[in-house]
Amino acid sequence: MNDSETLHLFQTIIDNLPSGVTLMDKDLRFVAWNSQIKRLLDFPDELFAPEPPDLTRLLRYNAQRGEYGPGDPEELVRSGLERARRMLPHVFERIRPDGTVLEIRGVPLPDGGFVSTYTDMTQRKHAEDELRRIASYFQAVLDNLPFGVVVMDKDLRIVYWSGMSEKLFGLPAGFVEKQMPLVSVLRTFAERGDYGPGNVEEQVARRMEIIGNFEAHALELPRAGGGVLLVRGVPVLVDAEPTGFVLLAEDISERKTYQETLERLATTDHLTGLLNRRAFLEAAEKEIRRAHRFGQSISVLMIDVDLFKSINDRYGHAVGDEVLRRVGFELQHALRDEDIAGRIGGEEFAVILVQATLPVATRVAERIRLAFAGASVEAGTGNVGFTASLGIATFAEGVDNVHHLLSIADQGLYVAKNSGRNRVHCVQAGVELAEVGADASR
């Protein structure tokens, strides 16, 4: 291939490149260029005829038409030539007056001169600007969400940590740095006791195993300084392959308190603070099943305030309510934490004594009876005393549910009532187990 053919091949190649290309010699005269350079820079054909231009001519043309912005054209030409004569590689972007963004790359040649490429970056720059704009929106949203956001890459290094995350997890501002391994943050939590007592490395390893397997999960975590966080983990999947992980942390302290309040209201008698009938029966049924499964003893007390209607009629319902509150108070103080007490209707109460044989239940019932007999409530003109009658039933063969056990205790209560009140009686034993207190007439 001769020189002419080589030059023709070279020209064909550069004419079909997507970028503008120019080749200048050591004297900064154009040796070769392609058609793209004229289109991108809006150069007229006569600028390149009848002979190739030098850089001075092109710089002056651009300066005079405002391509380089305001300023003295000759000074702009001089400055451009000075930079070019340094023969240094360079890359920069230039925005033309029509808004076109060009990336200009210059590579000096060993024997002097330059090869320069001009690439239209307008569309890409617009796309990048749009991405930055959208990213700024997302950033504003993430930074102002009421919960914390932590984003990790596939190596579980933190790429984003919202300001709310630091607040919720009780970490100082700037503690978490970009590309910090998540394991370092979890170790901080473990060391300060967020995961409770135990080996720090084992606690961290358990949590890293879940996250490292990119498993979606949700757990409640005590918050530093009090309260509870709900932490959800969600894998980031691309073509069904995990490429990252997101943790979302939300302070659910108020919600937990609200839920606990609702649960308490749903299960608690508002007057006495004891379990209501439904909650008592559910709890009692569980204890009876447990006693049956493990062969343990369990006893139930049925309690009824003596002559309660007379108290209401004589002193009013406000005093009657105070009597019921006092019954609840005395029961709570007479029982163990594992025992269960409830108001099951009107002036009627029931107690489950866990792992209590008949002799133990008898002693507890007598202690309760005496506590009631020694108590009183204010009634305006003086104090009003009250007593109660109690029936006992103990878990035995053939007693398979709470209603059966309660009905047996209720029979004992009926006997105690009809035997003079202020008594304890057990039908199963067949004998009265406690004598009348100080004043059986009440």
Side-chain angles (χ1 to χ4, degrees):
M1 183 180 294
N2 57 38
D3 292 345
S4 177
E5 291 174 333
T6 301
L7 287 174
H8 180 72
L9 176 62
F10 174 73
Q11 189 66 50
T12 301
I13 292 173
I14 65 172
D15 278 342
N16 287 278
L17 291 175
S19 300
V21 179
T22 62
L23 171 62
M24 287 186 295
D25 62 18
K26 63 181 180 178
D27 297 321
L28 301 180
R29 296 187 63 84
F30 281 77
V31 176
W33 59 89
N34 64 359
S35 56
Q36 287 281 33
I37 198 69
K38 295 179 181 180
R39 183 185 66 80
L40 289 175
L41 293 171
D42 195 23
F43 285 151
D45 290 338
E46 55 267 25
L47 194 61
F48 291 80
E51 60 183 19
D54 59 12
L55 183 61
T56 303
R57 183 178 177 187
L58 289 185
L59 290 176
R60 182 170 289 113
Y61 179 82
N62 275 340
Q64 288 175 343
R65 66 175 179 170
E67 194 79 14
Y68 305 135
D72 177 57
E74 291 306 315
E75 178 60 29
L76 293 172
V77 171
R78 187 196 62 77
S79 176
L81 288 172
E82 184 178 324
R83 287 194 302 272
R85 289 183 181 122
R86 295 186 190 132
M87 296 292 174
L88 297 175
H90 54 267
V91 179
F92 63 91
E93 288 182 357
R94 178 155 65 83
I95 301 177
R96 296 196 60 228
D98 64 359
T100 302
V101 181
L102 297 179
E103 180 189 77
I104 302 172
R105 292 176 176 267
V107 179
L109 300 175
D111 296 328
F114 263 104
V115 172
S116 298
T117 59
Y118 298 74
T119 305
D120 189 345
M121 307 291 289
T122 309
Q123 195 169 21
R124 194 178 87 179
K125 290 294 290 184
H126 287 170
E128 290 175 352
D129 290 343
E130 181 66 11
L131 284 175
R132 277 194 293 270
R133 186 177 66 84
I134 294 173
S136 67
Y137 292 158
F138 278 111
Q139 185 76 48
V141 171
L142 292 173
D143 286 342
N144 289 280
L145 287 174
F147 48 83
V149 181
V150 183
V151 182
M152 291 155 283
D153 61 19
K154 64 179 180 179
D155 297 319
L156 299 183
R157 291 182 175 274
I158 295 171
V159 296
Y160 174 78
W161 178 283
S162 69
M164 180 59 73
S165 298
E166 292 178 337
K167 181 179 179 182
L168 291 177
F169 287 111
L171 295 173
F175 176 85
V176 178
E177 299 176 348
K178 198 169 183 179
Q179 292 300 309
M180 175 182 283
L182 177 67
V183 66
S184 300
V185 180
L186 298 185
R187 186 173 290 111
T188 298
F189 296 157
E191 288 173 347
R192 72 183 184 187
D194 288 4
Y195 303 139
N199 182 274
V200 168
E201 294 306 320
E202 290 178 357
Q203 292 173 333
V204 172
R206 282 197 300 271
R207 284 156 179 83
M208 285 299 295
E209 182 179 2
I210 296 172
I211 299 173
N213 289 330
F214 296 90
E215 298 175 8
H217 65 275
L219 56 88
E220 292 183 2
L221 181 69
R223 182 183 175 187
V228 180
L229 294 181
L230 175 62
V231 182
R232 298 187 189 91
V234 183
V236 179
L237 302 177
V238 176
D239 296 331
E241 291 295 323
T243 60
F245 207 78
V246 177
L247 292 178
L248 304 174
E250 181 183 5
D251 188 346
I252 60 169
S253 305
E254 290 187 7
R255 187 192 310 169
K256 291 282 289 185
T257 301
Y258 181 66
Q259 289 175 342
E260 290 168 359
T261 300
L262 289 180
E263 291 172 3
R264 180 170 50 80
L265 291 174
T267 60
T268 304
D269 173 59
H270 73 282
L271 192 61
T272 64
L274 303 177
L275 294 179
N276 59 28
R277 180 182 180 85
R278 180 183 62 81
F280 174 81
L281 292 176
E282 289 177 356
E285 190 66 60
K286 291 178 182 177
E287 289 300 331
I288 290 174
R289 286 200 300 268
R290 184 166 26 244
H292 180 76
R293 185 165 63 251
F294 295 106
Q296 298 171 339
S297 16
I298 191 169
S299 297
V300 64
L301 309 180
M302 287 289 289
I303 306 167
D304 189 88
V305 179
D306 296 328
L307 301 174
F308 184 71
K309 184 177 183 301
S310 298
I311 295 175
N312 272 338
D313 291 343
R314 182 175 179 181
Y315 300 102
H317 288 282
V319 173
D321 287 348
E322 285 303 316
V323 169
L324 296 178
R325 288 192 187 94
R326 187 58 184 265
V327 170
F329 174 83
E330 296 295 343
L331 286 177
Q332 287 173 331
H333 283 75
L335 301 175
R336 303 166 299 173
D337 291 340
E338 60 266 34
D339 296 328
I340 303 167
R343 182 186 176 195
I344 59 175
E347 68 274 22
E348 195 170 40
F349 298 81
V351 173
I352 291 289
L353 299 174
V354 178
Q355 296 188 30
T357 60
L358 181 58
V360 171
T362 302
R363 290 194 296 271
V364 174
E366 179 64 6
R367 186 165 67 246
I368 291 171
R369 184 189 70 81
L370 291 174
F372 291 160
S376 63
V377 299
E378 293 184 5
T381 57
N383 291 337
V384 175
F386 63 93
T387 62
S389 301
L390 295 87
I392 303 177
T394 301
F395 178 78
E397 288 293 332
V399 180
D400 56 2
N401 62 69
V402 63
H403 296 287
H404 193 179
L405 197 59
L406 285 172
S407 68
I408 296 173
D410 200 45
Q411 294 174 38
L413 175 62
Y414 179 81
V415 173
K417 284 282 190 184
N418 285 278
S419 299
R421 303 184 187 89
N422 193 19
R423 297 171 184 270
V424 176
H425 193 89
C426 177
V427 170
Q428 287 171 308
V431 297
E432 188 174 292
L433 296 172
E435 295 302 323
V436 176
D439 186 358
S441 64
R442 286 182 290 180

